[in-house]
Amino acid sequence: MKTKSKSMARENLAHDSKVLGKKWNNTYNKYFGSKKNMLSFVKQVIPYTLKMSKVQVLYACSGPGFLGEELLNELEKKRIRADLVLLDISKEHLSQNKNQKTRKICADLLKAKIEGKFDIIIMRSSLDYFWTEKTQIQALKKLEKMLKPTGVFFNQAASMPTLMQRNLADKIYSSNEKMGKRHFQCPADIAKICLAGGFSKIKKIGNAPELIVTEKEHIERYSTSKKNIAKIQGIINKIPAEKRPNIKLTKTGYSLKFIFPIYAAKATGRF
């Protein structure tokens, strides 16, 4: 019998079938494939590595892993040796990474068994794929156990600025069978789940560029129908506009403006 956590990962993978592998870098107007956007994350990580001579990096829920490769490129410029491990549930995603020196592990994060521990673990816009707070905490506990005592976990969290808007975004994504379910973050709860996940220290270290998603992007990614779009409009319309500035109704559908705060977390010690 499959566990709920495993079926959760597989279900969201099925919803993403149109953007797996080569197509991933073009999704959401190439947001996740943009080198500029990747470097906005990488530049926040580099200062924590400058006293290291060699860095073991794990990229959790990595997709094709190009963000991890950009991090290694920047470390090389600083004359810091680094090894990269990619962990993702999608074979299609991992097959896009052609770097033979990069180790690839195809597995569900919650079920993965990886030998050794890491100096740096990175994650970008993936924690929300675990659509309950309980499973997000389980994922964080798993990552915390993979860190060295002096290691740091960096997470770019797909977020809404307020709890109300986060809950509304969650409801939008679970409103129909086409779209994968999500449980996004907000500044009010990220520390709570990280602490519950075993981290003792967490702080915000920067921001990545915002992302605006409209019904057009959802049609391209999930094949949502006019009926789905109208239902989402109805859900949004129940909340007064002044209480949801990042989630708007439009003539053709809607727009969601996600923010991407970047957090650093440690299990022990100080930053």
Side-chain angles (χ1 to χ4, degrees), residues 107-144:
D108 181 345
L109 169 60
L110 297 180
K111 304 298 177 183
K113 295 181 179 180
I114 302 177
E115 295 183 2
K117 291 182 180 288
F118 298 87
D119 302 289
I120 299 292
I121 297 178
I122 62 174
M123 176 181 275
R124 181 172 69 147
S125 190
S126 296
L127 190 59
D128 52 278
Y129 276 67
F130 303 93
W131 68 71
T132 67
E133 185 175 283
K134 180 179 179 181
T135 51
Q136 289 188 358
I137 291 171
Q138 289 173 352
L140 290 168
K141 284 182 177 180
K142 185 85 174 185
L143 294 173
E144 188 275 329

Side-chain angles (χ1 to χ4, degrees), residues 41 54-73 75 80-87 94 97-105 114 118-123:
F41 179 94
K54 185 174 177 59
V55 183
Q56 300 290 333
V57 180
L58 172 66
Y59 185 0
C61 305
S62 64
F66 299 137
L67 173 66
E69 301 292 353
E70 291 295 340
L71 174 58
L72 260 64
N73 288 339
L75 289 171
I80 299 171
R81 293 179 297 150
D83 294 322
L84 175 63
V85 176
L86 305 181
L87 172 64
L94 291 173
N97 188 297
K98 307 302 182 182
N99 188 342
Q100 295 182 357
K101 294 182 180 180
T102 296
R103 183 183 172 199
K104 293 97 174 173
I105 300 174
I114 302 177
F118 298 87
D119 302 289
I120 299 292
I121 297 178
I122 62 174
M123 176 181 275

Side-chain angles (χ1 to χ4, degrees), residues 23 25 31 42-43 59-60 62 83-84 149 196 201 204-205 214 226 235 261 263 268:
K23 296 179 181 178
N25 281 346
Y31 180 92
V42 169
K43 74 178 184 180
Y59 185 0
S62 64
D83 294 322
L84 175 63
K201 305 289 182 180
K204 180 182 173 182
I205 59 173
T214 71
K226 290 182 179 180
I235 291 170
Y263 298 96
T268 59

Side-chain angles (χ1 to χ4, degrees), residues 8-197:
M8 176 181 290
R10 293 292 176 189
E11 184 173 336
N12 262 333
L13 185 66
H15 285 295
D16 266 353
S17 61
K18 291 184 68 177
V19 295
L20 295 179
K22 189 175 182 179
K23 296 179 181 178
W24 174 249
N25 281 346
N26 293 321
T27 193
Y28 289 161
N29 295 313
K30 300 183 179 181
Y31 180 92
F32 295 108
S34 163
K35 184 170 182 177
K36 177 182 177 181
N37 291 346
M38 286 189 276
L39 290 177
S40 70
F41 179 94
V42 169
K43 74 178 184 180
Q44 302 297 336
V45 177
I46 291 296
Y48 293 85
T49 67
L50 296 180
K51 293 183 179 180
M52 302 178 183
S53 59
K54 185 174 177 59
V55 183
Q56 300 290 333
V57 180
L58 172 66
Y59 185 0
C61 305
S62 64
F66 299 137
L67 173 66
E69 301 292 353
E70 291 295 340
L71 174 58
L72 260 64
N73 288 339
E74 293 301 309
L75 289 171
E76 185 177 343
K77 292 177 184 178
K78 303 291 184 182
R79 297 185 178 180
I80 299 171
R81 293 179 297 150
D83 294 322
L84 175 63
V85 176
L86 305 181
L87 172 64
D88 197 87
I89 197 171
S90 169
K91 291 181 180 179
E92 291 88 346
H93 276 330
L94 291 173
S95 69
Q96 297 306 303
N97 188 297
K98 307 302 182 182
N99 188 342
Q100 295 182 357
K101 294 182 180 180
T102 296
R103 183 183 172 199
K104 293 97 174 173
I105 300 174
C106 187
D108 181 345
L109 169 60
L110 297 180
K111 304 298 177 183
K113 295 181 179 180
I114 302 177
E115 295 183 2
K117 291 182 180 288
F118 298 87
D119 302 289
I120 299 292
I121 297 178
I122 62 174
M123 176 181 275
R124 181 172 69 147
S125 190
S126 296
L127 190 59
D128 52 278
Y129 276 67
F130 303 93
W131 68 71
T132 67
E133 185 175 283
K134 180 179 179 181
T135 51
Q136 289 188 358
I137 291 171
Q138 289 173 352
L140 290 168
K141 284 182 177 180
K142 185 85 174 185
L143 294 173
E144 188 275 329
K145 289 180 180 179
M146 294 180 187
L147 272 180
K148 292 181 180 179
T150 56
V152 188
F153 168 53
F154 297 92
N155 179 29
Q156 180 177 313
S159 305
M160 284 287 167
T162 65
L163 184 62
M164 175 181 287
Q165 292 181 95
R166 189 282 304 279
N167 291 341
L168 179 56
D170 285 1
K171 192 171 184 179
I172 288 169
Y173 273 75
S174 63
S175 66
N176 64 78
E177 295 181 355
K178 296 281 188 178
M179 297 162 63
K181 295 180 181 178
R182 298 286 191 273
H183 181 48
F184 297 104
Q185 270 59 70
C186 71
D189 70 357
I190 189 71
K192 181 183 74 172
I193 63 171
C194 282
L195 290 171

